[in-house]
């Protein structure tokens, strides 16, 4: 997969050299153009997995954007509510299914970048991620939401 990605980048750089412009927009266009070429010849050179993974990574990025907007609106609603007595902040232990350092780091960063949540720590055996949430009335529902969202998409994209 990494090799095909590097070929895609080299083809984009070749596009920049042929057109005489290494502007960011032109290189991005060259990258998309070379991805189209690689997609066209995917059966001959075996790049089908590259595009499946790219689609899964794009799906993870879209899920993150969706969760970002959703949680930002939740946090805004909490901040604008004059009565916060029913707010239930807390730290909960999230049992990890992912086990590689990259996957754990990605999951922790996605959780931290989502407003209202913060990854606090990972256990020494790398099986539990401790997460602080601004409002967590039902920790199990939050755990299920993370497992069925971010963690599932990470497993699909990088396994």
């Amino acid at each position: 997969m990494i090799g095909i990605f590097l070929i895609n980048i080299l083809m984009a750089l070749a596009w920049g050299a042929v057109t005489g412009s290494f502007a960011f927009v032109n290189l991005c266009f060259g990258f998309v153009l070379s991805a189209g070429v690689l997609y066209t010849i995917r059966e001959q050179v075996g790049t089908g997995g590259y595009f499946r993974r790219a689609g899964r990574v794009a799906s993870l990025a879209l899920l993150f954007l969706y969760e970002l907007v959703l949680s930002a609106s939740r946090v805004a609603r909490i901040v604008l509510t004059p009565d916060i007595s029913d707010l239930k902040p807390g730290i909960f232990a999230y049992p990890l299914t992912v086990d590689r350092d990259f996957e754990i780091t990605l999951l922790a960063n996605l959780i931290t970048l989502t407003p209202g949540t913060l990854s606090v720590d990972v256990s020494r055996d790398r099986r539990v991620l401790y997460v602080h949430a601004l409002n967590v009335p039902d920790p199990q529902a939050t755990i299920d939401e993370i497992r069925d969202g971010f963690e599932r998409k990470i497993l699909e994209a990088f396994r």
Side-chain angles (χ1 to χ4, degrees):
M1 298 298 157
I2 300 283
I4 301 300
F5 181 70
L6 290 176
I7 290 171
N8 201 349
I9 289 175
L10 287 174
M11 289 174 68
L13 290 172
W15 173 260
V18 167
T19 60
S21 171
F22 287 95
F24 181 73
V25 173
N26 193 42
L27 288 176
C28 288
F29 178 72
F31 186 84
V32 170
L33 189 65
S34 64
V37 168
L38 288 172
Y39 183 78
T40 303
I41 61 170
R42 69 188 175 279
E43 292 177 8
Q44 289 79 15
V45 295
T47 59
Y50 174 69
F51 292 103
R52 279 190 295 279
R53 176 169 285 180
R56 292 175 183 150
V57 169
S59 175
L60 175 62
L62 289 174
L63 174 66
F64 172 70
L65 290 175
Y66 172 76
E67 289 292 333
L68 182 69
V69 169
L70 187 66
S71 63
S73 67
R74 287 180 190 155
V75 170
R77 192 175 316 117
I78 289 170
V79 169
L80 295 174
T81 302
D83 180 29
I84 59 169
S85 62
D86 60 338
L87 193 64
K88 296 192 181 350
I91 295 177
F92 62 91
Y94 177 77
L96 291 169
T97 304
V98 294
D99 56 355
R100 294 188 292 180
D101 289 342
F102 169 75
E103 295 168 341
I104 294 170
T105 302
L106 180 61
L107 179 63
N109 284 327
L110 289 174
I111 289 170
T112 297
L113 289 172
T114 305
T117 56
L118 176 70
S119 299
V120 178
D121 197 11
V122 178
S123 66
R124 288 187 186 269
D125 63 357
R126 298 175 6 184
R127 293 185 181 195
V128 177
L129 177 67
Y130 296 98
V131 179
H132 176 273
L134 183 62
N135 189 21
V136 59
D138 183 8
Q140 188 58 46
T142 306
I143 289 170
D144 293 341
E145 186 179 315
I146 293 171
R147 181 184 308 113
D148 295 338
F150 289 144
E151 193 170 36
R152 182 178 59 85
K153 292 289 188 179
I154 289 171
L155 288 172
E156 288 174 1
F158 299 107
R159 294 266 168 120

